[in-house]
Amino acid sequence: MKCPACGEEVTLGKGGKYRCPYCTHEFEMERPAPAPAMSAAPTAPARAEDGTDVFESNVNGVLELFCDFGTVGASGSGFLIDRSGLAITNAHVVLSDEGKPSKQIVARVAGEKVGAALISADVKHDLALIVLKKVGRNAKVLKFGDFKKVRTGQKVFVIGNSLGDGTCITAGIVSDKSRDVNGQTLMMTDCQINGGNSGGPIFNADGEVIGVIVAQRLMEDGSCANGMKYAIPAPTALSFIEANMNALKKLVD
């Protein structure tokens, strides 16, 4: 270390100070300035704001349904709930206005078209259980989420066969977790849905099914109200599935 006053070599003295033996100058060693703080790395977009993962992880479990009622046809959506081919949709998708089953049900899932058959329908809750005649290797069974954790205002996503034109995804929020609609308790959302979305799943941000799309709010003139769509809550769908699974088990036994 050199003395800043005379430039001669100095040694460390008492108290941590340097003292020059030639000019008796005392000084402290300058401490290096602290390094500038590193700026935080940019964070990835919040998962709830991005439906990419939800779509890519679940699209192969969503059904595009096409039903033949003889004089007319109809399209809808559904989703796979069991590897055996069991799937859920709306009763009004697979039943005519008179309550008669579709003469033929065709499902497209994971890029494959397969036949399907109606097992059971609950007109009151507008739910139906169907079974696919074949389940492709890439088809995925979708999982239900915990409806108790659903909160009004949270981000949600709908995947389905909108207008029968093919599968797409829309996003929105839970507008009301529990709303009375003609005597039924439904979940309301502002996700964009159209005819063809009926029977399809609505997902939370973790890609779990929290409801089954069922209806739009109709105005007195027959038009659809903006931002008022409805889904059957997951617990209602699960109760329907459980009741029918028990019945199927009894038949097998």
Side-chain angles (χ1 to χ4, degrees), residues 150-185:
V150 174
R151 300 173 64 191
T152 297
Q154 76 175 65
K155 195 84 171 182
V156 287
F157 303 90
V158 170
I159 301 177
N161 185 22
S162 184
L163 295 176
D165 291 339
T167 299
C168 64
I169 183 171
T170 57
I173 61 169
V174 174
S175 303
D176 189 348
K177 181 179 178 179
S178 178
R179 175 158 294 207
D180 184 276
V181 181
N182 299 326
Q184 289 197 62
T185 301

Side-chain angles (χ1 to χ4, degrees), residues 81-148:
I81 59 170
D82 189 87
R83 195 68 199 170
S84 66
L86 291 174
I88 197 166
T89 185
N90 286 149
H92 78 259
V93 170
V94 293
L95 299 179
S96 69
D97 293 340
E98 296 77 28
K100 295 181 179 180
S102 170
K103 293 183 178 181
Q104 183 182 45
I105 303 173
V106 176
R108 181 161 56 209
V109 57
E112 293 187 54
K113 275 189 176 182
V114 297
L118 175 63
I119 294 177
S120 178
D122 179 348
V123 176
K124 179 181 177 181
H125 295 102
D126 204 354
L127 290 167
L129 194 64
I130 63 175
V131 61
L132 306 184
K133 295 180 179 179
K134 176 186 175 183
V135 178
R137 179 190 302 177
N138 294 326
K140 178 179 179 179
V141 174
L142 301 189
K143 295 182 179 181
F144 284 91
D146 186 352
F147 194 75
K148 293 179 181 178

Side-chain angles (χ1 to χ4, degrees), residues 18 40 69 186 210:
Y18 289 92
F69 294 102
L186 301 176
I210 56 172

